[in-house]
Amino acid sequence: MSSAPPAATPGYLAAVRHWIDRNILALGREMRLSYLPPLMVYVAAGISGLTGIVGVFFVKERLGLSAEFLAALGFWAGLPWALKVPLGHLVDLIWRWKAALVFVGAGLIAASLVIMIGLLGHTDSMRAMWSVETWFVLAELLSPIGYVVQDVVADAMTVEAVPRFGADGRPIGMAERKSMNTTVQTLGRVAIIGGSVLVSLANVYLLHGAGALPEAERTLAYLRVYELALVIPFVSVLGVVFGVSLTWRAARRLSARGFAQSDVRRMLNPHGERPPVNWWIFGGGLAFAVVSLGVGVGQVGGGQEIVFGVSMAIVLFLIWRLTGELEADARHVLVGTAMVVFVFRAMPGPGAGSTWWMIDQLGFDQQFLATLSLIGSVLTLAGLFIFRRFMAERSIAYIVGFLTIVSTLLGLPVVGMYYRLHEWTAAHTGGLVDARMIVLIDTALESPLGQIAMVPMLAWIANSAPDRLKATFFAVMASFTNLALAAAQLGTKYLNQIVTVAREVKDATGAIKAPADYSELGMLLVVTTVLSFVLPILAILFVKSSRFRSA
């Protein structure tokens, strides 16, 4: 007697189709042509990772820089993001001409890439002017300044991309615009991660077999990567040009419907009247720049701590001034959200020593690291779709708590590998689950979580900040959360001062100048794992028990 097929099967398939339609296909249907210009600038930011792996091996093979020095350099390279505050206000003031700043940023990015091309292709000529280390530091500092300038404009362009009036001139409702803002911010993360997917594919191809090449051929492989990276500033500039053409087209269409030029400008300009110059913002930005340059050039002891403290004080002061524009309830939500995100992003890592250990002790070469990057980028992109509703329906506190717990659990296998977990798993699985397999699995599971925390906060700012100060609010909150990354670099530097991790350094003849020392790396991994779990959970508990709330 035959049995009927389970009735649940059709229902299960319908549920899967519904989920795919709701979380993935719906995002594609919500895409508008007006979203494309800022997304192209975000894609350029995603492509910036093209030189990341080559940079790691360039430092390891050519420069004798310590993990502590690189953490310090990461601190200085991250500080330009705090300048988003005066730059954001500048964008609000010169709204009609903000596209010019993208060209400035593109020029700085191109200059950084040209320096690295010169170091790889014309080393002797570059060394005749300055040392290779000095050129490298200059390139590392120019690049983030260029990206922060472009990012400020891209944030403003996302506001401009969401129309207030339809093609027929009718106003678009607040609920529909809120949905559009969330879609744009999600697509912005998709664009950034999509760019990283492209560069990961390029790295897998360009660095294939690079580890086995003679030094001269390996240098040429690195050089090709940097030459290809010159497409980055071109993409961002192209996005701005496309945005201008879309605005002209929309203006012509509305004019053809009989609207006066003044009405057309009002419909296409979401910014409204130009805000008054806020000299507190410009003064704070100038003070930050002067203090940073003075401390850095003067090589003042504790310079990073001084700059961080001053910049944090300035940004907090500016947040206090700006939140006066909000109602009390919205102000509490903004402050609570910023606190939780700050602590989550401020957690220190093990630094460059962990990567060096994987290269030296586990045998991870250029191509394998490129493959890891590709897997991470693809799955992070997938995660934006998979967790789309999760981001929209949960509070930031819930999301950060979830990410903290899951990230801690997924970080444990890397800690275990230092204590030879991979040798035990390989012995019990016939060599299948070795170090590379553990890292591949860990990357596959952890990567989708990478961009989740920022999307709800960005969407909240786009929807709730005053119209005439959108770019300023984006800049202030981005500066605050990016200072968290500077705090993370400081924490990483302190931990590398306490715990010694050193790679092998050779001179030009191949003789060993300093031996590798990874004996204390295990303690470093344990400490960073514990801190990254405990501190965000405490921040969430504090916000929950106070008058503040999270978005």
Side-chain angles (χ1 to χ4, degrees):
M1 181 175 177
S2 61
S3 59
T9 301
Y12 172 77
L13 293 177
V16 170
R17 284 196 298 269
H18 176 70
W19 184 91
I20 293 174
D21 181 78
R22 187 168 180 256
N23 290 277
I24 299 177
L25 300 181
L27 190 62
R29 289 194 297 270
E30 293 166 13
M31 174 68 187
R32 290 170 171 256
L33 198 60
S34 64
Y35 300 167
L36 196 56
L39 296 183
M40 291 178 70
V41 182
Y42 284 138
V43 165
I47 301 174
S48 66
L50 180 61
T51 59
I53 294 174
V54 169
V56 168
F57 281 88
F58 177 81
V59 171
K60 185 177 184 298
E61 295 169 0
R62 304 291 185 86
L63 305 179
L65 304 177
S66 67
E68 177 189 342
F69 179 87
L70 291 173
L73 179 59
F75 171 85
W76 291 110
L79 277 182
W81 291 94
L83 286 172
K84 284 192 73 171
V85 180
L87 285 174
H89 190 51
L90 178 63
V91 169
D92 281 325
L93 294 175
I94 62 167
W95 187 267
R96 289 184 61 189
W97 311 105
K98 61 185 179 296
L101 292 177
V102 173
F103 288 83
V104 173
L108 293 172
I109 295 167
S112 172
L113 293 170
V114 168
I115 288 173
M116 293 305 299
I117 289 171
L119 287 178
L120 287 163
H122 308 279
T123 308
D124 293 336
S125 299
M126 301 288 283
R127 190 183 285 120
M129 290 182 281
W130 288 337
S131 68
V132 173
E133 290 78 9
T134 301
W135 279 116
F136 176 76
V137 170
L138 177 61
E140 286 292 291
L141 295 179
L142 282 177
S143 180
I145 297 174
Y147 283 115
V148 71
V149 170
Q150 292 196 345
D151 193 67
V152 169
V153 181
D155 288 342
M157 290 169 70
T158 61
V159 177
E160 199 172 43
V162 175
R164 292 172 170 266
F165 297 85
D168 58 357
R170 294 181 181 178
I172 296 175
M174 178 63 73
E176 186 177 356
R177 282 170 44 210
K178 179 180 178 181
S179 175
M180 290 182 191
N181 277 317
T182 302
T183 297
V184 170
Q185 296 305 327
T186 302
L187 288 172
R189 300 307 102 187
V190 170
I192 292 173
I193 303 306
S196 68
V197 171
L198 293 176
V199 302
S200 297
L201 286 168
N203 273 320
V204 170
Y205 172 75
L206 294 170
L207 298 177
H208 177 71
L213 293 175
E215 182 176 348
E217 294 183 30
R218 190 162 62 246
T219 298
L220 288 177
Y222 295 168
L223 181 60
R224 285 196 299 271
V225 172
Y226 277 104
E227 289 174 342
L228 181 61
L230 287 172
V231 75
I232 297 169
F234 174 76
V235 170
S236 57
V237 168
L238 189 62
V240 168
V241 173
F242 184 60
V244 172
S245 68
L246 286 179
T247 301
W248 287 347
R249 191 184 75 164
R252 288 196 304 270
R253 182 179 297 163
L254 291 171
S255 296
R257 286 182 169 268
F259 290 99
Q261 288 299 313
S262 58
D263 291 331
V264 171
R265 285 194 294 270
R266 177 178 57 84
M267 291 176 182
L268 296 180
N269 181 15
H271 202 251
E273 296 182 3
R274 186 182 118 167
V277 178
N278 190 323
W279 293 109
W280 287 108
I281 292 178
F282 279 129
L286 179 63
F288 168 79
V290 170
V291 170
S292 300
L293 289 174
V295 171
V297 174
Q299 297 182 341
V300 177
Q304 293 170 19
E305 289 76 10
I306 294 172
V307 170
F308 178 78
V310 170
S311 56
M312 177 61 79
I314 291 171
V315 171
L316 289 176
F317 174 75
L318 295 176
I319 290 176
W320 174 69
R321 297 282 301 186
L322 281 174
T323 51
E325 300 275 345
L326 300 174
E327 298 293 333
D329 187 61
R331 184 163 56 246
H332 292 158
V333 171
L334 181 62
V335 172
T337 298
M339 290 172 59
V340 171
V341 174
F342 181 91
V343 174
F344 179 69
R345 289 165 66 90
M347 294 301 95
S354 176
T355 304
W356 295 341
W357 169 72
M358 290 182 180
I359 293 171
D360 288 343
Q361 302 295 318
L362 302 182
F364 293 179
D365 57 12
Q366 294 92 331
Q367 186 179 6
F368 180 71
L369 291 179
T371 302
L372 279 182
S373 176
L374 174 60
I375 293 172
S377 298
V378 170
L379 292 176
T380 300
L381 184 61
L384 289 174
F385 293 99
I386 294 170
F387 292 101
R388 184 182 174 211
R389 297 296 172 185
F390 176 75
M391 291 185 288
E393 296 168 0
R394 299 288 185 175
S395 70
I396 286 287
Y398 185 96
I399 292 171
V400 169
F402 170 80
L403 294 178
T404 298
I405 294 170
V406 175
S407 298
T408 300
L409 293 175
L410 295 178
L412 292 178
V414 176
V415 179
M417 283 200 303
Y418 179 82
Y419 297 100
R420 304 188 182 283
L421 170 67
H422 56 289
E423 294 181 3
W424 182 85
T425 55
H428 288 75
T429 59
L432 178 62
V433 185
D434 58 1
R436 294 195 174 203
M437 179 62 72
I438 290 175
V439 172
L440 282 171
I441 295 173
D442 190 65
T443 300
L445 293 174
E446 189 172 9
S447 294
L449 309 176
Q451 291 284 330
I452 293 175
M454 292 302 294
V455 172
M457 190 180 80
L458 294 173
W460 187 89
I461 294 171
N463 198 60
S464 303
D467 287 338
R468 64 198 183 108
L469 292 172
K470 294 287 190 185
T472 306
F473 264 80
F474 266 116
V476 168
M477 299 314 300
S479 295
F480 182 65
T481 53
N482 281 308
L483 275 174
L485 300 181
Q489 290 290 346
L490 277 179
T492 300
K493 186 190 77 168
Y494 296 149
L495 291 176
N496 276 274
Q497 288 175 340
I498 298 170
V499 180
T500 302
V501 179
R503 72 189 186 284
E504 182 179 270
V505 178
K506 297 181 180 179
D507 59 20
T509 65
I512 297 177
K513 292 171 58 179
D517 182 6
Y518 299 116
S519 59
E520 299 181 8
L521 178 62
M523 178 59 67
L524 183 61
L525 292 171
V526 170
V527 170
T528 54
T529 300
V530 172
L531 290 176
S532 297
F533 175 76
V534 173
L535 296 183
I537 296 298
L538 290 177
I540 293 169
L541 294 176
F542 171 77
V543 169
K544 288 289 189 182
S545 62
S546 69
R547 68 178 184 276
F548 302 113
R549 295 186 293 112
S550 64

